[in-house]
Amino acid sequence: MRRRELITLIGGAAVAWPLAANAQQGKLPTIGFLGASAPAAWSHWTAAFVQRLRELGWIEGRTVAIEYRWAEGRSERYTEIAAEFVRLKVDVIVTVASAVVAAKQVTSVIPIVFAVAVDPLATGLVESLARPGGNVTGLSIQSTELVGKRFELLREVLPGLRRLAIMANIGYPAAVLEMGEAQAAARKLGLDVDVFEIRRAEDIVPAFGAFKSGVQVLYVCPDALVNANHARINILALGARLLTIYPDRTFLQSGGLMSYGPNNADLFRRAGDYVDKILRGAKPADLPVEQPTKFELVINLIAAKAIGLDVPATVLARANEVIE
């Protein structure tokens, strides 16, 4: 047998082994995919995850089953969906940090992988980054550490910045954490800050109505509620001629001005590696939480034109992508 044929055979056996074990039980290995927002909002993240699984030999419908469930930005759905996954006896749950607490309360046995978490250590999702412990592991986006960089960009884009508003879902601990970091960063720069707390979609429009005169920028702390309603937020911000800054390019599709942060599609892709290891027998407690490796600055010149903003050439030159 040729060496290349032997390697191919061994690689195929490595994928086939866990499948054979499950085949004896009459089912494919099953992933419970808990989307905190809506399918459309997560489409490119989901695609990146599924593509990585395919590269690792896990082909949906053939070598692995994926049960998709969507919370549509309603946190009260997390427990219900997690309980359904327990009834379905899924082999691993994939989600984001906002749903992990609910999933952990439902099961301490089924492995849980978070593709995105603002600060999993500070919010108590894991015992440590090196050894997470329990049944949870995944990827951190270091969002609170990037707040200062976003403020530097805001000052560069708008040198006359004096007042900004911060919007956050106070029902989500990580958003509260980032809100505090953003307030501190703004005050260090001598900026006036208005904080607008939301808990549900119905709070968004009244929050805009309460903005004080002179607000120039809207800093939005991300979570599933914001993700599900970013189009509404951007329409209102454009109507008020506010600059907006987000952690991910997804929010620019509906009119956000700029984003700076990790590439979330890359994080979902890397979540596929965690799932691969777990389906082959690894324990979440032994898989370290990983950090982002790709960061990107994206500028939406269509939104800039709509609010009458000239983005400095120095900022555009550094952007990974310019939408125009």
Side-chain angles (χ1 to χ4, degrees), residues 77-122:
R77 288 268 293 143
Y78 297 157
T79 299
E80 175 187 336
I81 293 172
E84 182 182 0
F85 285 158
V86 172
R87 291 194 299 272
L88 291 172
K89 298 181 179 179
V90 302
D91 296 284
V92 58
I93 295 172
V94 176
T95 188
V96 290
S98 58
V100 170
V101 173
K104 283 180 67 177
Q105 291 174 344
V106 172
T107 178
S108 60
V109 177
I110 298 175
I112 301 169
V113 174
F114 52 83
V116 177
V118 171
D119 191 333
L121 189 58

Side-chain angles (χ1 to χ4, degrees), residues 4 6 39 49 58 76 112-113 148 179 197 225 270 302 321:
R4 181 177 297 176
L6 177 62
F49 173 71
W58 303 103
E76 64 272 16
I112 301 169
V113 174
M179 180 177 67
E197 302 173 347
L225 175 62
R270 290 167 61 190
I302 300 173
E321 182 179 345

Side-chain angles (χ1 to χ4, degrees), residues 11-23:
V15 173
W17 181 83
L19 298 178
N22 279 277

